[in-house]
Amino acid sequence: MRYAKPWWYKRMIEEGIKFTLQRKLILDVLNRTKKHLSAEEIYFIVRKFYPNIGFATVYRTLDLLTKIGIVIKLNFGDGRMRYELAEKENASHIHLICKNCGKVFEDGGDENEKIKEIEKNISSRYNFKVENLKIFFMGKCENCQKGGD
Amino acid sequence: MRYAKPWWYKRMIEEGIKFTLQRKLILDVLNRTKKHLSAEEIYFIVRKFYPNIGFATVYRTLDLLTKIGIVIKLNFGDGRMRYELAEKENASHIHLICKNCGKVFEDGGDENEKIKEIEKNISSRYNFKVENLKIFFMGKCENCQKGGD
DNA sequence: AATGATAATGAAAATCATTCTCAATTAGGA
DNA sequence: TCCTAATTGAGAATGATTTTCATTATCATT
Ligand SMILES: [Mn+2]
Ligand SMILES: [Mn+2]
Ligand SMILES: [Zn+2]
Ligand SMILES: [Zn+2]
């Protein structure tokens, strides 16, 4: 085999769920994109490679993968959920969401240390086992501060 | 007048929107509860005091108040949006969400300083004007770690 | 290869939170 | 009081997501 199996393959096997073609294709799409795709967008991309895939399968797969932590399900407030591949450890980046134009920006992880610290405090303070975190900064992007009202 | 107008009253006036009875009642509900209510829950509570209020008015009001920062709109993943009164300055607390039982816990603000610092860094790094932030820690609550799988 | 048990899938219908439409009402300034 | 724009309530419409159910794929055993 030319390529090593990706980390999510191992995770799926150890969870006892099957690595079907449909699931593989959905994960490939998420792996290749930099964007935050919606279920529908993923559906249409996968369809190019596998025209028979059903809408429900996409939703089911995304839910399943979210449940086991391979995928992160995000709500940026545009009326549909969006999905991204989880990062290998439970590190996760901050999302900046412009309330004006809707654009989403990602922080490059420069705050990771501070976040880890907060996570540790919270974990021990509440006896809460943190599996992943979602940090959204809502506000106005550079562009919208100048131009729009 | 016995009581001073609440801070959101002033905000609404300065935004040039009317402080109607319906809006007042919705804000009163949000102000009195500790929970994170959905639009429907708010609707049924307001109805006790004002049986004629319409569902659409509740949604419209919550949207409006969210837009001007008086209300925060949250998605905990249970299929409906939930609302809480914003805090007076743009301070906001961390939400811990149990993926197992769905319960939501709130941090008492002990991480505020660290969060402020992150906020400041992000603001200047990306020239992003932060208006409010949503921090969700997804995981398993104390109870669910013991009992259920 | 055939079998059977179980998991996964696709198509379509159903659900249901949220938004839209529009006629009626209200609020506040001239 | 009159005028105008904002607000509201009822109900219909929307549309993302879920459910249903018959069919198909998977895989361990004969
Ligand atoms: Mn992201
Ligand atoms: Mn809260
Ligand atoms: Zn913007
Ligand atoms: Zn729990």
Side-chain angles (χ1 to χ4, degrees), chain B residues 60-149:
Chain B
R60 275 189 295 236
T61 299
L62 291 169
D63 269 5
L64 179 73
L65 298 177
T66 296
K67 212 160 290 161
I68 64 178
I70 293 178
V71 162
I72 307 287
K73 188 176 183 180
L74 302 164
N75 181 309
F76 294 140
D78 65 341
R80 70 201 60 200
M81 302 307 265
R82 298 186 167 276
Y83 301 84
E84 68 181 11
L85 212 47
E87 286 156 59
K88 206 154 177 180
E89 351 62 56
N90 67 344
S92 48
H93 49 269
I94 297 175
H95 289 101
L96 317 184
I97 301 154
C98 179
K99 277 183 177 172
N100 189 249
C101 68
K103 278 210 189 73
V104 177
F105 306 85
E106 289 179 315
D107 179 58
D110 307 70
E111 308 300 326
N112 273 351
E113 281 160 33
K114 252 161 296 194
I115 292 173
K116 283 278 175 223
E117 214 177 311
I118 294 174
E119 185 181 329
K120 194 162 47 175
N121 293 346
I122 292 279
S123 286
S124 69
R125 188 178 309 131
Y126 300 100
N127 244 307
F128 189 88
K129 191 176 156 222
V130 179
E131 283 164 11
N132 73 78
L133 27 131
K134 299 179 182 171
I135 307 184
F136 298 149
F137 281 60
M138 320 296 295
K140 213 169 252 175
C141 76
E142 186 167 16
N143 217 297
C144 289
Q145 281 173 65
K146 301 174 192 164
D149 105 294

Side-chain angles (χ1 to χ4, degrees), chain B residues 25-37:
Chain B
L25 291 172
I26 289 168
L27 280 161
D28 285 350
V29 168
L30 289 175
N31 188 39
R32 276 198 292 271
T33 189
K34 283 176 177 166
K35 298 190 244 177
H36 301 96
L37 300 173

Side-chain angles (χ1 to χ4, degrees), chain A residues 36 74 76 84 87 91-97 104-112 114-115 118 133-138, chain B residues 115 117-119 121-122 125-126 128 130 133-135:
Chain A
H36 301 96
L74 301 164
F76 294 140
E84 68 181 12
E87 286 157 59
S92 46
H93 48 269
I94 296 175
H95 289 102
L96 317 185
I97 302 153
V104 177
F105 306 84
E106 290 180 315
D107 179 59
D110 307 70
E111 308 301 325
N112 275 350
K114 252 161 295 192
I115 292 173
I118 294 174
L133 28 129
K134 298 177 183 173
I135 306 184
F136 299 149
F137 281 58
M138 321 295 296
Chain B
I115 292 173
E117 214 177 311
I118 294 174
E119 185 181 329
N121 293 346
I122 292 279
R125 188 178 309 131
Y126 300 100
F128 189 88
V130 179
L133 27 131
K134 299 179 182 171
I135 307 184

